[in-house]
Amino acid sequence: MAETVVSFALRQVFQILTEETNLLGGIHKDFLEIRDELESIQAFLKDADRRAADEANTNDGIRTWVKQVREASFRIEDVIDEYLRVIHVVQVQHLGCGSLICKITSLISTAISRHQVATEIQDIKLSLSAIKERSERYKFQVSQEQPSSSSTRGIEESRWHDPRMGSLFIEETEIVGFEFPRDELVGWLLKGTKERTVISVVGMGGLGKTTLAKHVFDSEKVKRHFDCRACVTVSQSYTVRGLMIDMIKQFCRETKDPLPQMLQEMDEKSLISELRQYLEHKRYLIFFDDVWHEDFCDQVEFAMPNNNKSSRIIITTRVMHVAEFFKKSFLVHVHNLQLLPPDKAWQLFCKKAFRFELDGQCPAELEAMSNEIVRKCKGLPLAIVAIGGLFSTKSKTVLEWQKVSQNLNLEWHRNAHLTSLTKILSLSYDDLPYYLKPCILYFGIYPEDYSINHNRLTRQWIAEGFVESDGRRTLEQVADEYLSELIYRSLVQISAVGFGGRVKGCQVHDLLHEVIIRKMKDLSFCHFVHEGDESATSRTTRRLSVDTRSNNVSKSSNNEHICAIHAFGKEGLLELFVGQLSSKSRLKVLDLEGTSLNYVPSNLGNLFHLRYISIRNTKVRVLPKSIGQLQNLETLDIRDTLVHVLPSEINKLKRLQHLLAFHRNYEAEYSVLGFTTGVLMKKGIKNLTSLQNLYYVEVDHGGIDLIQEMRMLRQFRKLGLRRVRREYGNAICASVVEMKHLESLNITAIGEDEIIDLNSISSLPQLRRLKLQTRLEKMPNWMSKLDYLVKIRLALSNLKDDPLRSLESLPNLLNLSLWDNSYAGEILHFRSGGFSKLKELDFSRLNRLNSILIDEGALLSLEYFKLNKIPRLMKLSPGIKDLANLKTLDFLDMPTDFIESIDPENGQDYWIINHVPLVFIRRWIGPRFNDFEVRTIHSSSKES
C-alpha cells in the first residue's frame, strides 16, 4: 500500500506544481525536491510492499521502513492541503481589503500558518532523505512491469505453502453443489464444434473453480474422449518456458512417449514448435489453472494448434478480462461459477464438520448454531470447508461451539484452519494495480453485507482523489471503469442492477470484508468508532467509520488529518460532532446519509477541503449560508430531507457538479404531481458552471429568468424541472438545446391541464432518459429521432393519436411507460417489428384505454409488462401468448372482470398467460404508497 500512497502523494505534488503557479517564495523548489525523492523511492516500493506483507518475513525493519514511507507521504498530502487552505485565507482576506494597511494586516495574521507550512516542508525533505538512505540496506528490487516473472516470489514461495494446491486433489465424494456446472462443462468438452475451444471458469477466490475444473478434467468420460491431456498450474508467478516444459512432460508421461532430447535446453521458440508438432494430429485437452494476466492468451496461443479435432482448453481465473481476451483467437465458453445455495452449503458443512462421527449428521442441539455459522459463509465453498474443518476438531457440545462461534472473527487470522482462506482471498487484493487498492479498501468503511449505491461510491472515490484523469474521459467515466475492473476481478459483487443493465448497487463478500478490514487497520486507512471502543485515532488515521451508537462519536472529530467521515445508524448527537470539526480539517468526504441529523451546524463552511457531503434521508430542514464558502464542493446530496429552499450562497460553488435535491412522499397514495417535490433556487444559478446533475428544481419560483440562466450551464448530464408553467416552454427549449451532453431530462408541469410546447427543441443527440409529465398538444417531432433513448415516460400528455407510432422505431428503447392519461384514446396497437429491443412496458392509470393489440412479431424482447389501474380494460391481448421472453406480468388494482378472466381455475383467458413464469396480482390497501396485498400465480399454476 506504500506504493499507492506514494503515487497519490506524487500526483498531488505534480498538481500543485502545475496549477499553483504563484507558490510562496522557495516552496516551488522544495516541492520539486520532494517530487524527485519520491520518484526515486517509488521505483522499488512494489518489492518493499510485497516483503512487508509477507508474514513469513521476520525482518521487522522492512515493515518499519514501509510504514515510514507511508507516513511521510501522508505528511506531504497534509502539508499541501494546509498550504492551499492558507493561500485561500490570504486571497479571501485580500478581496475584502482596499488599503495597503489592511493587506499587510492580512499577511501578518497568516504569517504563523505560513511559517508552519514552510517548517513542515523542510522537515519532510529531511525525512525523505533519511528514508532513501535506509532503503539501501534492504536491497530492494526495482519494479518490473511484466508480471509473469517468477523471480519476485521465489524466496516467498520457498517458505509459504500455497493453500490452493489442495483443490487439485479433492476426492469426488467430498464435492458438493457442482452438479449443474459439472454437466455444463462436460457438455462443452465432449460436444459441439470441432474447432479449438476455450472453456473458462470464472469467479472469486474460494468458489471452487479449481475443484470443479479438476473434477471434470479427471472424469473417465473426459479421459476417454481425448488423446492426451495436461494440467498446468499458472498462478501469479510463472515463466512461459516453464509451463511449456511441464506440458510436454505431462503429454509424454500420459501417452508413454519418450521426452524430446535436450528439452531443458530448448528456448521458447523451440518449445512452441515441439508442442505444435506433438499436438498437430491429436485431440488434446489442456487445463490452465489459476490464470491472472490478460496477456496469458498471447503467451500460449501458438503452442496449441487449431487442428479441427475438437481439442479443448480449460482455464480457471478470477479475472473476467482473462477469459474475454481469449475471444480474439479462440471460440470461448464462459461459466460464471456462483455461490452455493443454502441447502448445498448446509450439506457441505455437515460433510466437513461431522465427517467421521454422528453419521455425518448435525445433532439437533447444534443445528441452530450451525445454521448461523453456514449463513455467515454466504455460500463460499472454501469458507464452509475451512470452518467446517475447524469445528470438526471441537467437541460436539453447545458450550464449545458457542465459544468458537462467538470468537470467529478473531480466528480468521490466527487459526491454522482459517488462515489459508484469508491468504487465498488476499491474493486478489495483492494482485491489484496501485490505483485500485484504495478503491477496494473503501468497501471496508461500510458495514458488513451493506449494498453501496454505485454513484455514491464512485463520487466518494473522486472526492478522495483516487481517480486519475486520463485527459480523454470524465472522472466519472474513469471511476466507472475502476468499479467494472473490480467486478471483473471477482472482488466486488453486483447487488442491484439498474435500468439497461447498469450496476446500481454493489458489495463485497462478508469474508473478503473481514480481510479488507484487517488491511485497513494495518495501513491506517480507516479507524472504526463503535460501541465499547475506547481506542483513539492517530495522526496517520485518514478516515472514520462511525457507528452512531458509540459514546465516543464526539471525541473522534478532533483529528485534523481525517479526510473522510462516514456515519451509520440513527442514534447519537451528530450535530455536536459536526460542529466540532476544525477549520483546519482536511475533510473531503462527509457522509451522514440515513442518520439522525436534525440540522447542519452554521460553521460547515469552515471545511475548506470538503468535496462531498451527503445528508440524504435525514431530518435537516435548512442549509446554513456558510455553505457558500465550500469552494471545493463537488457533490451535495440532500435527497429525502426536508430542505425546500436553497440559500442564494449556494450559487457561489463554481466546482459543484452534482446537486441532488428532492423529497418523495411514500406515506400516501401516489399522485403524479404530489409524489415528488423539488427545491427552490435563487437567481445566480448561471455561476454554477461545473454543474452536471441538477434535480429537481421548482422553476415557478425563479420563472423564465432562472430557466434562461440555465442556458449558460453547458455541462449538464441530468436535469429535472418541476412546477413548469405554459409560458416557460420556449425558454426551456432554448436552454436545453445548448446542453450538448444532456443524457436525462425530466419536465413536470405545475398542473394537470398545463400545456407545455416543446416542439422547438431541434435535437438532443445524447439523450438516454426522458420523462415528460405535462399536457402535450401532440408528440414532438424530435422524439422519434432520439437514437440513444433507452427509457421514456409520458404522463398527463392527453395525446389524441396513438403515441406508439412515434416511438416504435427507436433503435435502443428498453423501457416505455405511459402513465396518468398520457393517451386519451381507447386502443394501443403494437405492430409487427416494432419495439424490437423493448424489455419493460408499464401502462398506469389510463382511464380511457379499453384494448391493447399485439401483433405477431411485436415486442420480441419484452420481459416485464405492468398494467396498473386501467378501469376499462377487461381482457388481455391474445398476442401476449407469443411473447416468448416475457418473465413477469404485474397487475395492480385492475378491474374484477379482468382478474377473473386470468384465474388459473376458471379464467377463460388463463391460456394467454400460462407460459409466463411469474404473474403478480396486487391490490392497494393503503395508506402508504407501497402498501399492497399481493397474490402470485406461477406458470406451474401454483398460487401463493
Side-chain angles (χ1 to χ4, degrees), residues 609-704:
H609 294 289
L610 198 62
R611 296 177 183 173
Y612 177 102
I613 179 169
S614 174
I615 53 173
R616 182 179 185 178
N617 193 23
T618 63
K619 300 299 182 185
V620 172
R621 291 178 176 273
V622 178
L623 294 179
K625 294 180 181 296
S626 67
I627 198 167
Q629 298 170 27
L630 300 177
Q631 291 302 299
N632 292 298
L633 194 65
E634 297 167 350
T635 298
L636 175 61
D637 190 347
I638 55 173
R639 288 174 289 183
D640 287 315
T641 63
L642 302 176
V643 176
H644 187 56
V645 180
L646 298 184
S648 59
E649 287 78 6
I650 211 159
N651 292 328
K652 297 177 182 178
L653 304 180
K654 293 187 177 180
R655 295 189 181 182
L656 189 64
Q657 297 176 19
H658 312 287
L659 178 48
L660 319 175
F662 61 76
H663 179 77
R664 286 184 172 143
N665 182 13
Y666 292 97
E667 300 302 313
E669 188 176 7
Y670 177 81
S671 161
V672 65
L673 296 179
F675 181 60
T676 302
T677 53
V679 292
L680 308 182
M681 293 189 72
K682 310 284 176 59
K683 292 179 182 177
I685 192 175
K686 64 184 178 184
N687 297 318
L688 301 177
T689 51
S690 300
L691 207 57
Q692 296 180 19
N693 294 311
L694 173 63
Y695 54 98
Y696 295 101
V697 180
E698 298 188 353
V699 290
D700 64 315
H701 179 71
I704 290 178

Side-chain angles (χ1 to χ4, degrees), residues 299-319:
Q299 294 168 349
V300 299
E301 173 189 349
F302 297 110
M304 300 177 291
N306 189 6
N307 54 14
N308 287 316
K309 289 188 173 291
S310 303
S311 294
R312 299 289 186 261
I313 300 104
I314 303 173
I315 65 167
T316 61
T317 181
R318 305 183 189 199
V319 185

Side-chain angles (χ1 to χ4, degrees), residues 2-17 30-46 65-66 68-80 124-133 135 143:
E3 182 192 19
T4 301
V5 176
V6 167
S7 298
F8 185 45
L10 256 175
R11 200 159 81 233
Q12 285 194 286
V13 173
F14 276 118
Q15 191 170 340
I16 198 169
L17 286 171
D30 290 332
F31 278 131
L32 282 173
E33 291 175 4
I34 287 173
R35 180 199 66 186
D36 293 342
E37 292 284 26
L38 282 177
E39 285 181 329
S40 62
I41 291 171
Q42 188 185 36
F44 41 78
L45 274 179
K46 192 181 290 292
W65 184 88
V66 168
Q68 289 168 347
V69 172
R70 199 165 61 238
E71 290 175 354
S73 299
F74 287 156
R75 288 176 66 192
I76 292 167
E77 293 174 30
D78 290 347
V79 79
I80 289 174
I124 288 170
K125 285 169 58 181
L126 290 173
S127 295
L128 285 175
S129 180
I131 286 169
K132 185 181 175 185
E133 286 178 16
S135 69
S143 298

Side-chain angles (χ1 to χ4, degrees), residues 203-385:
M204 71 177 288
L207 264 182
K209 300 181 296 295
T210 299
T211 301
L212 168 64
K214 189 62 164 58
H215 176 47
V216 169
F217 180 86
D218 285 336
S219 70
E220 288 303 321
K221 280 192 296 187
V222 170
K223 282 182 180 178
R224 290 193 300 268
H225 186 73
F226 292 95
D227 299 326
C228 59
R229 302 176 311 136
C231 171
V232 183
T233 300
V234 182
S235 296
Q236 288 153 298
S237 53
Y238 62 91
T239 61
V240 176
R241 185 173 172 276
L243 294 181
M244 291 183 180
I245 289 173
D246 190 11
M247 287 161 62
I248 291 171
K249 286 181 176 179
Q250 289 191 51
F251 287 142
C252 292
R253 185 164 58 245
E254 181 158 299
T255 57
K256 298 182 180 176
D257 290 327
L259 285 173
Q261 292 184 351
M262 307 291 289
L263 177 64
Q264 295 295 339
E265 282 72 42
M266 288 183 184
D267 60 17
E268 203 169 294
K269 182 179 177 183
S270 301
L271 288 167
I272 290 173
S273 298
E274 192 72 38
L275 276 165
R276 288 185 69 85
Q277 184 178 341
Y278 184 85
L279 298 174
E280 188 63 44
H281 301 292
K282 293 182 175 67
R283 181 188 294 160
Y284 59 85
L285 172 62
I286 303 173
F287 171 22
F288 292 115
D289 182 43
D290 201 25
V291 182
W292 288 77
H293 303 297
E294 288 180 28
D295 61 351
F296 182 76
C297 171
D298 291 338
Q299 294 168 349
V300 299
E301 173 189 349
F302 297 110
M304 300 177 291
N306 189 6
N307 54 14
N308 287 316
K309 289 188 173 291
S310 303
S311 294
R312 299 289 186 261
I313 300 104
I314 303 173
I315 65 167
T316 61
T317 181
R318 305 183 189 199
V319 185
M320 180 60 77
H321 287 314
V322 169
E324 290 177 342
F325 206 82
F326 272 89
K327 290 180 179 179
K328 70 185 184 73
S329 306
F330 296 80
L331 175 65
V332 176
H333 296 298
V334 177
H335 180 89
N336 278 293
L337 194 57
Q338 302 299 310
L339 297 165
L340 290 179
D343 58 328
K344 296 296 182 182
W346 174 255
Q347 186 181 337
L348 181 59
F349 176 78
C350 291
K351 191 179 277 285
K352 294 300 295 183
F354 309 107
R355 183 179 179 186
F356 299 113
E357 51 191 321
L358 301 171
D359 295 324
Q361 301 297 312
C362 177
E365 65 272 17
L366 297 178
E367 200 163 303
M369 207 178 309
S370 297
N371 267 311
E372 180 60 23
I373 291 164
V374 173
R375 189 193 64 78
K376 286 182 180 178
C377 295
K378 292 290 177 67
L380 189 67
L382 186 63
I384 298 165
V385 168

